[in-house]
Amino acid sequence: MAVNKINYDRIVDKKMSMMSTAIVLALFVVTIVMICLFSFGPYDAELEGPEYTEALLNWAYALLGISIIAALVFPIIAFITKPKQGFKNLLPLLGLVAVAAVCYYVSDNTVLELPGYNGSDNNPETIQWSEAILFLTYVMMILNIAAIIITELFKKIKK
């Protein structure tokens, strides 16, 4: 009976791996198409920019939403299904929340002097959120680069 359970788990893992690979490839292909449309598509003289700017921004927002949902939902599911391992999965999420909070409180909310701009987005809340997101992006890029370098160093050391 245990052998059947192990074989079933392997089959499920293989199917899930194939599905996730297909989804990632589909998202990648759509992203490449959107970037090509933006970069090489027609120019809109009325908007003074590429015609597919709004479509690319909407796609970027959709990808951001998908990644935020995945980053929140999967650790919670893992926590519910396997509580002991769930704590390990929640630590990076809590770390991200802590880094985001630090980035928000470090950011400045001074209203900018923009000659000729009369829009409603030049307010302290929007400026502070924008700067916090920029800081968070910088921190995450640095951490990702450091993780890549450290991982490669550990691989070299183990050999």
Side-chain angles (χ1 to χ4, degrees):
M1 189 63 141
V3 173
N4 289 339
K5 173 74 171 141
I6 292 171
N7 287 338
Y8 176 76
D9 288 345
R10 287 182 184 158
I11 292 170
V12 170
D13 286 345
K14 188 174 182 179
K15 286 183 180 179
M16 291 297 288
S17 176
M18 287 176 20
M19 281 180 26
S20 65
T21 301
I23 290 170
V24 168
L25 285 174
L27 291 174
F28 182 71
V29 167
V30 172
T31 302
I32 294 298
V33 168
M34 294 300 296
I35 290 172
C36 288
L37 285 173
F38 175 78
S39 300
F40 306 115
Y43 185 83
D44 190 353
E46 183 179 319
L47 295 176
E48 297 181 359
E51 193 171 305
Y52 292 99
T53 303
E54 187 174 351
L56 182 64
L57 285 172
N58 288 336
W59 180 246
Y61 293 143
L63 288 177
L64 179 67
I66 291 169
S67 62
I68 288 172
I69 289 169
L72 295 175
V73 169
F74 288 126
I76 292 170
I77 291 172
F79 182 75
I80 292 170
T81 57
K82 299 175 185 176
K84 289 181 182 178
Q85 290 179 347
F87 283 114
K88 291 180 186 176
N89 292 338
L90 284 178
L91 287 177
L93 188 61
L94 294 175
L96 178 64
V97 169
V99 170
V102 169
C103 289
Y104 180 79
Y105 289 112
V106 168
S107 61
D108 189 18
N109 63 355
T110 305
V111 177
L112 303 172
E113 299 273 338
L114 301 172
Y117 178 74
N118 298 323
S120 62
D121 289 332
N122 192 13
N123 58 55
E125 295 85 22
T126 302
I127 291 170
Q128 187 162 13
W129 274 109
S130 299
E131 192 166 328
I133 290 170
L134 283 173
F135 286 162
L136 185 60
T137 302
Y138 299 150
V139 169
M140 296 309 292
M141 284 184 353
I142 291 168
L143 289 176
N144 281 326
I145 292 169
I148 290 169
I149 292 170
I150 291 170
T151 302
E152 291 301 319
L153 287 176
F154 280 137
K155 283 182 184 178
K156 297 290 183 188
I157 291 171
K158 285 185 179 181
K159 288 183 179 180

